[in-house]
Amino acid sequence: MTRWRIAIVFLLLLAASTVYQAVRPTSGIGGSALVGETRLMFEVDEAFLLESGGPAKSVEISYMDLDDAGEDAPVLLLFHDSVSGPASFDTLAPALRERCRILIPDLPGFGFSSTEMSRASSRVFARVGLALLRESGVEKVHVAGFSSGGLAAVDLLELAPERCESLILFSAMGVEELELLGEYSLNHAVNTVQFAAIWVLQNLTPHFGILDRTILNFSYGKAALYRDQRKHRAMLEKVESPVLILHGEKDLIVPATVAREHERILPQADLEWFDGGHDVIREDARRPAESLDAFIRKVDRGEATTRSLADAGRLASAREEFTFDFYRDDLRKWTLVFIILIALSTLVSEDIACVMAGVLAAQGFFSFGTALTGCFLGILAGDAGLYLIGRWFGAPAIAKPPLKWLITPRQVKTSARFFDRYGPFIIIATRWLPGLRVPAYVTAGLLQRGFFWFMGWMVIGAALWTPVLVGLSMLLGESILVWVRKFENYAVLVLFGVMLSVIVTVKILMAVSTWKGRRLTLGWWRRFVRWEFWPPWLVYLPVVLVALWKGLRYRSLSLFTAVNPAMPAGGVIYESKSQILDGLKGAGAAIARHRLLPKEMPLKDKCEAIEGFMKDFELDWPIVVKPDQGERGAGVGILRSEERVVGHLEALGAVEVIVQEYIDGEEFGVFYVRRPSEEMGRIFSVTEKKLIAVRGDGTRTVEELILADDRAVCMAPFFLEKHEAELDHVPGEGEDFALTDLGTHCRGALFLDACRLISPELTGEMDRISKCYDGFHFGRYDLRVPSGEDLARGYGIRILELNGVTSEATHIYDPKHGLWNAWKVLGAQWALAYEIAAENRDRGLKPVALWSLLRLVFGGGQRPHDNERGEKTP
């Protein structure tokens, strides 16, 4: 109970937090104290819309324009980072405002600017800066970027080199090879994990906007997610303008190695070191401001070095191809960080992470041991997570919709037995089969297999697989890197294709690899090609069209409800089995003895009533107990003991129940029709209902016998579930094991055409019985007789049920008959229904109004009568 209280309190807080944030939205991270009410609204062009991903047609940004230095002062455009936002420059800007005109935009998603943007890339930020320059009437600008803002500065320099007089990089990014794990796919994987964590914190914790003002916000997460520095090296190699690099020697966010690489590929650059970390421009703005002011004045005087005037030795160094050997000593210091980041990247894609880690190890970014350790630990952590998801969430989830509709308890038990037998092999093998890992490991948790048992085999599997993949990637090196980069361009299509191929292949292989699988596949194929197993909507579509045409022709779509005046709506719905049997009581012994038990009757009284019923008619077990209004044979029980009666009544619940004598013999369906103008009716159809059984041989189990039987295999899933408790039983030689005890197609009975048994004697007897029920003209009897010969003689007939207008001529389901024959018979049946109903209308009987019929069927709280297959007819 305490858990429920905690959960309710948590959900209430989460709902309150969501409402609070909707009513009082927090501005983006990093709202600067310097930014006033200045706004810029600009219409986006096609390029901006394409790069930003929309959906906004215009963007509003807030910005700071400090013009205290006068009209002739140089202009400095500052791009902030994605962590502290515009507040990055709260100390630097005041130190420069008397020397430069300063423009600082709140980039989209930060400060007070627009947040409606799908992709927050540096290219998009650069276009915002360019729009600000146009709005402000600035022709020439010194562009600077702090941290990730350096990427936007470089992008702006490429977009509008004629406007940019110089480039200033404050602790700036710009070299993918030295960012995080040194390769885009791995870096993107790490940022994806980070963004996922931020999403969970933002959406699943009641933070009331507090997280929006920290690093754990969407703006930062989105900017990191869409960060791509792969093109920036080429951009930097083309920069002609003077460059100033300011960097902290103790920077842990953008390591000093990045600044040294910037200095190498920008031979004209001046590099100045500071004794501090990443936020050196915020910690002590005085010295950075002086350095920047001196650099800008040097550029304005024409004394700054451009690429074309750079030292020859530095130009030669800039033309050298990048290699990690330049910075091997620096990179070794980050070994523990690399291990953690590699492990995080495996949570997105184990295979790509291992391949790229191996490639980077071959290039010298880190050692083979670092790559192997990170991949191994990440794989264990990620797969343990999959196991725990199955263990904590799987079992409760499959007990509720929609999973309970897709996964049966029997399937879970079967999987558990399979896992007990082959679990270790599955766990190890799936390390080499990527598409099967998630379902296999989640299943292991769902089946409550021991955590340490699972992890033990997982360690073995990962220990065998990881060194092979990482080592192979090291040996193949650049060739795999090229393949992976090409793969990225088609990642979604390839991933979909691989998953589809794996699923199809595995299903096929599993199906044909065992005898049971092959037999189940055969059963599925037979259900697919034999129309008798098709869904009713597919079979009945032409019949519905015929019925509609008949309704239009007779000027009443509901005319057929007048076919049987004795039954409500002609027997469409609301058929009470007991009332119909009572209507036939004039037929005497031909009607099975029965008694109705009201739904209000307590369980104990119902049991006593059944006992009294058996004594009154001197009946012995078994007896039949079923709902007075039922479908698909649901709730019908052939009960052989008092204990079974109690359990069956409890399962039925508070419904009206019929108790009926059990009648042995062969079961048939006889369809009778009589026009009101005719003296004598006729038999339209006779169906023999074979109750399926399998015969034992003393060696095979019930499951094997079901799968081996040519008819039973067609409905193997149903029979295997129904007889689950007896599947391992081995019937003796010659012993019959009954698969079904009800003459219903959907429960396994075989229907055969028995129209050959129609005879004057049978017709006469059925006509006698039918005339006992005044107002009955059209419907199907379910009955039992000692034999087919007795039926033909009209002898020994015992009526179990009578169904009205929506019953069927069920001989059509004989496997020898085709679908076209079924359509002809059903069409003729409905034509007769309308003809008889039309005669009754001419005699003064009004059919149920169409609107009333629709309310009756769809809104009356009752179900329509089922056809003999146990499925609703139109």
Side-chain angles (χ1 to χ4, degrees), residues 543-622:
V543 182
V544 169
L545 296 177
V546 169
L548 289 174
W549 167 247
K550 292 292 183 182
L552 293 173
R553 182 180 176 186
Y554 283 97
R555 304 182 307 283
S556 173
L557 293 177
S558 61
L559 177 63
F560 62 88
T561 60
V563 71
N564 292 315
M567 299 181 183
V572 175
I573 58 172
Y574 287 165
E575 304 102 318
S576 166
K577 295 178 173 64
S578 60
Q579 289 180 7
I580 292 175
L581 291 175
D582 289 343
L584 290 165
K585 63 183 179 181
I591 310 304
R593 292 169 290 187
H594 62 280
R595 185 167 293 170
L596 177 67
L597 308 181
K599 64 180 179 181
E600 299 84 5
M601 182 179 288
L603 176 63
K604 180 180 178 182
D605 293 347
K606 284 183 179 179
C607 293
E608 292 177 354
I610 291 174
E611 183 179 354
F613 170 76
M614 295 177 68
K615 286 182 179 179
D616 291 345
F617 293 104
E618 299 180 350
L619 300 175
D620 201 355
W621 303 103

Side-chain angles (χ1 to χ4, degrees), residues 121-402:
S121 67
S122 63
R123 197 68 162 188
V124 171
F125 295 159
R127 291 192 179 277
V128 170
L130 186 57
L132 177 57
L133 294 180
R134 291 170 181 158
E135 175 70 16
S136 304
V138 175
E139 293 297 328
K140 297 288 185 178
V141 67
H142 298 273
V143 58
F146 170 59
S147 191
S148 59
L151 303 176
V154 175
D155 272 293
L156 178 60
L157 196 64
E158 186 190 53
L159 287 173
E162 73 284 355
R163 287 180 177 268
C164 301
E165 295 189 278
S166 70
L167 173 66
I168 300 102
L169 301 174
F170 299 113
S171 303
M173 299 176 178
V175 181
E176 186 76 61
E177 294 87 348
L178 297 174
E179 165 79 4
L180 294 178
L181 289 171
E183 208 286 323
Y184 172 75
S185 60
L186 292 183
N187 294 340
H188 186 65
V190 173
N191 288 326
T192 299
V193 173
Q194 175 183 251
F195 185 74
I198 290 173
W199 188 95
V200 170
L201 289 171
Q202 283 280 344
N203 289 280
L204 301 182
T205 60
H207 59 87
F208 293 90
I210 295 174
L211 293 180
D212 294 333
R213 295 185 288 272
T214 70
I215 191 175
L216 301 173
N217 71 92
F218 276 127
S219 297
Y220 162 72
K222 186 180 290 186
L225 185 65
Y226 287 104
R227 185 181 301 143
D228 185 355
Q229 304 178 65
R230 288 175 292 181
K231 296 180 180 179
H232 286 80
R233 173 179 289 277
M235 294 180 194
L236 288 167
E237 290 173 346
K238 297 176 183 177
V239 171
E240 289 289 339
S241 306
V243 179
L244 174 65
I245 302 172
L246 305 176
H247 214 96
E249 292 179 327
K250 300 175 183 177
D251 195 333
L252 298 179
I253 305 300
V254 181
T257 312
V258 175
R260 284 196 281 271
E261 179 63 9
H262 281 159
E263 182 189 30
R264 186 183 73 84
I265 60 180
L266 292 164
Q268 74 273 37
D270 294 333
L271 171 58
E272 188 170 348
W273 295 102
F274 294 87
D275 184 19
H278 189 61
D279 287 333
V280 66
I281 65 171
R282 302 182 66 183
E283 295 165 355
D284 181 11
R286 180 185 53 82
R287 188 181 162 197
E290 290 176 352
S291 298
L292 194 148
D293 179 56
F295 172 74
I296 290 176
R297 292 183 183 281
K298 186 167 66 171
V299 173
D300 288 347
R301 292 194 303 266
E303 298 174 0
T305 304
T306 60
R307 180 179 289 269
S308 60
L309 299 176
D311 178 76
R314 291 188 63 183
L315 282 170
S317 177
R319 287 192 288 267
E320 291 183 29
E321 187 175 351
F322 172 81
T323 172
F324 291 115
D325 290 337
F326 294 158
Y327 310 107
R328 190 176 300 279
D329 292 338
D330 288 344
L331 293 171
R332 287 196 182 110
K333 301 174 185 177
W334 297 86
T335 298
L336 180 59
V337 175
F338 291 151
I339 290 174
I340 295 172
L341 293 176
I342 292 170
L344 288 175
S345 68
T346 63
L347 300 180
V348 175
S349 171
E350 293 176 353
D351 296 326
I352 297 296
C354 288
V355 169
M356 296 314 307
V359 170
L360 290 172
Q363 294 176 346
F365 188 72
F366 39 62
S367 67
F368 173 74
T370 299
L372 184 61
T373 303
C375 291
F376 184 77
L377 294 178
I379 287 169
L380 292 185
D383 294 343
L386 292 174
Y387 168 89
L388 292 175
I389 288 173
R391 189 177 183 92
W392 291 341
F393 303 108
I398 64 173
K400 300 175 182 178

Side-chain angles (χ1 to χ4, degrees), residues 1-2 57 78 153 226 248 342 464 469 550 694 731 753 842 862:
M1 189 64 184
T2 303
K57 299 298 183 182
L78 298 175
Y226 287 104
I342 292 170
L464 294 173
L469 188 56
K550 292 292 183 182
V694 290
D753 186 344
D842 293 341
Q862 298 287 335

